[in-house]
């Protein structure tokens, strides 16, 4: 999604410098929100080493990933990880994914599940993500 960060700075004389920054990911300008891939059905729990079925729209789907939820401490997120569950090309309404190999690859807990579609813009290829589904691994 789009992000906006606003703030400012105050010096000893009471003057303030306003600061505003915004970010819009490139895929939003390539295709509209209604054209992004969509996960319409997913398991609530993904088990290690097992096959699971994912219902998707607006494919083909080229990648399915798990992204660990943040665990920020002291400006460093030691829990951040991205686990690829599918890498190829799947066209249709259903896709079979494999759960992570074991808890060393993906420790038990909650993750964001994304389906990604590869789009060629002419000058480069961009992976366009679906909205995340929160699932549990374990």
């Amino acid at each position: 999604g789009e992000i906006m960060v606003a703030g400012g700075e105050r010096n000893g004389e009471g003057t303030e410098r306003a600061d505003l920054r915004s970010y819009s990911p490139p895929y939003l300008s390539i295709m509209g929100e209604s054209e992004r891939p969509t996960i319409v059905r997913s398991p609530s729990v993904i088990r290690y080493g097992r096959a699971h079925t994912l219902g998707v729209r607006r494919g083909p789907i080229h990648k399915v990933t798990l992204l660990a939820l943040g665990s920020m401490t002291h400006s460093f997120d030691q829990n951040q990880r991205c686990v690829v569950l599918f890498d190829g090309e799947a066209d249709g309404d259903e896709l079979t994914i494999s759960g992570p190999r074991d808890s060393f690859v993906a420790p038990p807990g909650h993750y964001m599940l994304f389906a990604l579609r590869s789009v060629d813009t002419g000058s480069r290829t961009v992976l366009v993500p679906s909205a995340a589904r929160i699932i549990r691994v374990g």
Side-chain angles (χ1 to χ4, degrees):
E2 295 178 301
I3 300 169
M4 181 174 73
V5 178
E9 185 177 309
R10 200 171 211 141
N11 66 21
E13 300 168 6
T15 58
E16 192 170 325
R17 179 188 60 82
D19 191 17
L20 175 74
R21 295 174 189 234
S22 65
Y23 171 75
S24 182
Y27 62 80
L28 288 180
S29 62
I30 294 168
M31 60 177 37
E33 183 70 29
S34 64
E35 298 175 38
R36 288 174 62 190
T38 304
I39 299 173
V40 294
R41 189 179 65 260
S42 68
S44 58
V45 178
I46 290 183
R47 302 286 180 198
Y48 296 112
R50 293 195 188 157
H52 301 278
T53 303
L54 204 59
V56 294
R57 281 199 195 123
R58 296 183 205 102
I61 301 301
H62 296 96
K63 196 172 276 205
V64 176
T65 62
L66 290 174
L67 188 63
L69 299 179
S71 178
M72 187 67 98
T73 178
H74 298 90
S75 301
F76 177 72
D77 187 354
Q78 60 190 1
N79 188 49
Q80 192 60 61
R81 66 188 69 232
C82 181
V83 180
V84 177
L85 301 181
F86 173 83
D87 191 1
E89 184 171 340
D91 206 359
D93 295 338
E94 285 193 347
L95 168 65
T96 300
I97 59 174
S98 297
R101 184 183 66 232
D102 55 36
S103 61
F104 290 107
V105 173
H110 288 88
Y111 289 75
M112 293 182 284
L113 177 69
F114 291 96
L116 299 107
R117 184 170 96 192
S118 182
V119 176
D120 186 2
T121 67
S123 61
R124 63 187 173 128
T125 301
V126 177
L127 282 173
V128 178
S130 65
R133 285 269 180 125
I134 302 294
I135 57 95
R136 188 169 53 88
V137 172

